[in-house]
Amino acid sequence: MAKLNVNGRMVDVDVDPDTPLLWVIREQIGLTGTKYGCGVAQCGACTVHVDGVATRSCSMPVSAFNADQKIVTIEGLSPDGSHPVQKAWLELDVPQCGYCQAGMIMSAAALLQQNPKPTDDDINSEITNICRCGTYNRVRAAIKLAANGGEVGRG
Ligand code: FES
Ligand code: FES
């Protein structure tokens, strides 16, 4: 039995300790916004925040977490989709198929938390998520829009 703090709620889950956090989030807790892509910490589709740090949940066993750590999924990023990154994503129509986008948004939100005005190089080095649809240019533009408080500018 593990006790986790997910999106501000304490949850008890009864799973094998080796179970990846991703599957606990999706199958035990029922939050399916976090996606499975590669399963080997490469694509970033499974990104959540752990104490504010972008974390690839497919490759971390649930036993690595405790109730004192704050896990946030895409469902918990904001109560109503009003996080600046979510608003910028909508404004610039970033998603194509959408599969990678929850992970992209979580990675972008964590980046801006640590670095409120990232350069292109910062974004390129920190956002290593893979998008099969090639939305990278819009992802970069939306991160800069969010960094500018929703104002179009040089970022
Ligand atoms: S599913 Fe976790 S990084 Fe690809
Ligand atoms: S929007 Fe389709 S994989 Fe990224």
Side-chain angles (χ1 to χ4, degrees):
M1 186 75 92
K3 189 181 278 293
L4 300 173
N5 179 340
V6 179
N7 297 338
R9 189 166 65 92
M10 299 304 294
V11 290
D12 292 309
V13 291
D14 190 5
V15 291
D16 186 293
D18 291 337
T19 306
L21 178 64
L22 172 62
W23 298 119
V24 172
I25 288 169
R26 289 182 56 85
E27 298 190 348
Q28 307 297 312
I29 306 175
L31 296 170
T32 55
T34 307
K35 303 300 188 206
Y36 171 79
C38 65
V40 291
Q42 295 295 306
C43 73
C46 64
T47 302
V48 298
H49 294 175
V50 179
D51 290 334
V53 176
T55 302
R56 294 186 173 183
S57 62
C58 68
S59 301
M60 300 284 287
V62 68
S63 58
F65 301 92
N66 61 59
D68 293 331
Q69 292 168 297
K70 292 186 173 62
I71 297 168
V72 176
T73 70
I74 187 71
E75 291 89 346
L77 187 61
S78 70
D80 55 2
S82 63
H83 187 283
V85 170
Q86 291 171 310
K87 287 165 68 173
W89 245 245
L90 274 178
E91 176 72 24
L92 296 183
D93 280 334
V94 174
Q96 192 163 320
C97 83
Y99 196 83
C100 71
Q101 296 289 319
M104 283 284 190
I105 288 171
M106 295 307 280
S107 295
L111 169 63
L112 289 173
Q113 191 68 32
Q114 293 156 12
N115 179 357
K117 293 283 181 192
T119 63
D120 277 347
D121 285 347
D122 295 334
I123 294 169
N124 291 344
S125 64
E126 292 298 322
I127 307 291
T128 56
N129 301 44
I130 294 170
C131 173
R132 288 173 302 177
C133 301
T135 60
Y136 302 109
N137 288 343
R138 291 202 299 274
V139 165
R140 259 193 305 276
I143 290 172
K144 289 184 173 179
L145 183 63
N148 281 335
E151 301 292 327
V152 176
R154 287 179 297 150

